[in-house]
Amino acid sequence: LGQPMHAFDLDKLAENRIVVRTARAGETIKTLDEVERKLDESMLMICDAEKPVAVAGVMGGIDSGITDATTNVLLEVAFFKRESIRQTSRKLGLATEASYRFERGVDIENLIRASDRATELILQFAGGSAVDVMDLYPTKISPNAVASADISAAVKRLTGLDVSKDESVRILSRLGITLNKAIGGSGRVFASPTWRHDIAIEEDLVEEVARHAGYENIAEELPPAYGAGEYQPNESRRNLLRRVLADQGFDEAITYSFIDTKHDGRVCLVPELADNVGATGLVELKQSVIEGAVRMRPTLVPGLLDAARLNLNHQRKDIRLFEIGKAFAASAAGELPHERELFGALLTGSEISEQRAMPVRELDFHDAKGAVESALDAVGVSDVNFVAADIEHLQRGQSAEILVGEKVIGSVGRLNAEIAGDYKFKQAVYVAEIDLQTALAAETKPVVYAALPKYPSVVRDVSLLVKRDFSFSSITKAVRSVETELRPRVSFVDLYEGKGMSDDERSLTLRFEYRSDTGTLTEEVVDSAHMMILEDISKSLGIRPRF
């Protein structure tokens, strides 16, 4: 009947009775295998009036065991919680057939039947007479209730088998799994029998139906894959970003998502993450994969710096890396951490022409700024501004905040001397980091295609005397605001500081390119528009041409 039980010599039990309780501290028992075992307060024991006489559900004690001299037998038939027996068996290192069966569950409603059958067999083969049965069942166990709105549809969905509802109910009822209207009220709830501890969810019901309908009848079929082969939202834009940077000589880095706590507070975070970190802190791992790396990264910069150091240590001096990855901040208790998708870039070394060994020039701030501009332009973000700012991990005077419209999304600049010294960098290192998730959410302008210009352009170079705090972007904005028929394209040419210039001034050379779509421009038309623009920006910005 699959019911473990244990027989005691009644005359060896103190006060001729058994007590079910947990072991007391320091108690021991010698089990039937003649091994002395130490017990703890978590173990359930069968005891007499004085001491343990059996490990409940596992093995009896040798002192109360049946011998040839036994004349009075106490038969113990019980139901134990599976987790309790499993825990005791593991702690004692004692696995028996009884513990194996109890760990997997026995039928609590089968105890009287099993007890009567065992008593019958004892009387048949050993003689004697039976006395009263003591049945202690204080808490009635209710059968598991498993809801299934449409068992036939569930079978079809999970296995592909066409089994009618009536046939499904018939199969289940023959297995003791019956519809229980008293529980569900709608005929959609099944009650599993007490001997089936494995019936808990609808999928268990489906398995029973499929088992009897025939596994061999399940056809070979690929599961449906809705949206398979399609890009996730913005994935095509990310791929375009990768392609644009790869064309510029960048390599994509993939760094660890966990870093050392020594980086805490050393890198200025993107605003969205900085706000979360300020409110709830950083995410800490309870069990780190790498010794010391117990922090889920709030920034990509440490990983890129580690990658750069590894390359420099292998004598690779000219490095261009970028990474797209998640950064994390803690959240309120019980909630998942905050995540942001970031874009990071690192440049150091020299510009080297293809198939040339000698460097053309050292990489500088403008290379890093250009990489950010091209990356954002690749994902369709055009309203990008750079504003000089003091950034915690960047060199003062060579750092800037990155804005889309009026919103700060990141920073770019040269790594400061303190952090560069910690990494033993002997050459300038430029890093950039932006909140790619925010950038991708920004409104993008549709791409407009136009025919190539048919008429030549007219170029005017002009040097302007500007204060040191003037930026190139402020001048281009002023030029765009001038109401004129010809809207020039403005580009940077050169910057001069030194002899002949005051300490608070510098000479900025710009190129104005004029073009018309209707015909070839004349000198008079270009000069008129050019002078109008120079006069306007002179009035609005207080700058003047340098002659």
Side-chain angles (χ1 to χ4, degrees), residues 17 32 49 64 101 124 161 169 172 187 199 215-216 239 248 305 361 378 397 411 437 490 500 522:
R17 64 189 178 98
L32 289 171
S64 61
R101 289 178 179 269
Q124 179 181 347
L161 294 172
V169 172
L172 293 175
I199 304 296
Y215 286 151
E216 70 278 5
N239 288 341
Q248 297 178 18
L305 294 178
R361 59 176 181 82
S411 61
Q437 191 168 326
V490 184
T522 63

Side-chain angles (χ1 to χ4, degrees), residues 111-126:
L111 300 188
I112 297 297
R113 181 186 175 205
S115 176
D116 290 344
R117 177 58 176 158
T119 302
E120 180 185 1
L121 292 172
I122 291 173
L123 296 179
Q124 179 181 347
F125 292 104

Side-chain angles (χ1 to χ4, degrees), residues 151-434:
I151 184 62
S152 178
V155 172
K156 176 66 175 176
R157 173 172 54 86
L158 294 173
T159 68
L161 294 172
D162 285 314
V163 184
S164 67
K165 180 179 179 181
D166 292 341
E167 178 64 12
S168 298
V169 172
R170 186 193 69 80
I171 291 173
L172 293 175
S173 63
R174 295 296 296 271
L175 296 172
I177 307 168
T178 58
L179 278 173
N180 195 331
K181 296 183 179 181
I183 298 177
S186 61
R188 297 180 178 179
V189 176
F190 292 84
S192 66
T194 53
W195 66 84
R196 290 300 301 269
H197 300 276
D198 57 331
I199 304 296
I201 57 178
E202 185 181 48
E203 284 76 5
D204 296 328
L205 301 178
V206 172
E207 183 180 9
E208 296 302 314
V209 174
R211 184 161 61 92
H212 288 79
Y215 286 151
E216 70 278 5
N217 295 321
I218 298 176
E220 295 180 358
E221 184 178 351
L222 289 174
Y226 304 104
E230 297 179 1
Y231 280 131
Q232 295 297 314
N234 291 319
E235 187 62 29
S236 59
R237 298 168 72 188
R238 295 188 192 92
N239 288 341
L240 186 57
L241 184 153
R242 292 184 172 98
R243 189 186 311 161
V244 167
L245 291 177
D247 290 344
Q248 297 178 18
F250 280 81
D251 293 308
E252 183 172 4
I254 300 176
T255 63
Y256 289 117
S257 295
F258 30 85
I259 59 176
D260 200 287
T261 54
K262 68 182 180 181
H263 299 293
D264 291 355
R266 301 192 73 186
V267 177
C268 183
L269 308 181
V270 297
E272 292 289 342
L273 273 177
D275 293 342
N276 290 326
V277 169
T280 55
L282 298 170
V283 181
E284 185 168 347
L285 299 173
K286 292 183 178 179
Q287 294 181 336
S288 61
V289 178
I290 300 175
E291 184 178 358
V294 298
R295 183 77 71 224
M296 292 300 292
R297 65 184 181 189
T299 170
L300 305 181
V301 172
L304 290 172
L305 294 178
D306 288 340
R309 177 170 57 185
L310 179 65
N311 279 272
L312 290 169
N313 288 342
H314 285 79
Q315 306 303 313
R316 188 179 178 205
K317 305 297 183 183
D318 306 312
I319 305 167
R320 298 190 188 199
L321 299 174
F322 77 93
E323 181 174 12
I324 299 173
K326 293 287 184 69
F328 308 86
S331 60
E335 296 182 5
L336 294 174
H338 297 285
E339 295 184 20
R340 301 295 294 182
E341 186 175 40
L342 306 184
F343 163 78
L346 180 145
L347 304 86
T348 185
S350 304
E351 176 76 29
I352 299 179
S353 298
E354 187 176 4
Q355 297 181 350
R356 296 292 180 94
M358 295 298 293
V360 177
R361 59 176 181 82
E362 296 291 324
L363 296 176
D364 57 21
F365 172 85
H366 299 288
D367 293 292
K369 175 175 174 287
V372 172
E373 287 177 320
S374 61
L376 291 174
D377 184 65
V379 296
V381 180
S382 56
D383 188 15
V384 181
N385 296 306
F386 296 82
V387 178
D390 291 336
I391 310 297
E392 192 167 6
H393 62 287
L394 301 179
Q395 190 75 31
R396 186 175 183 181
Q398 296 191 55
S399 59
E401 289 181 333
I402 306 169
L403 292 82
V404 172
E406 302 297 326
K407 186 176 181 62
V408 178
I409 64 167
S411 61
V412 59
R414 179 176 176 174
L415 193 67
N416 67 31
E418 180 184 356
I419 300 178
D422 291 343
Y423 279 89
K424 295 182 172 58
F425 292 150
K426 297 180 181 180
Q427 59 192 52
V429 175
Y430 299 89
V431 293
E433 185 172 50
I434 63 174

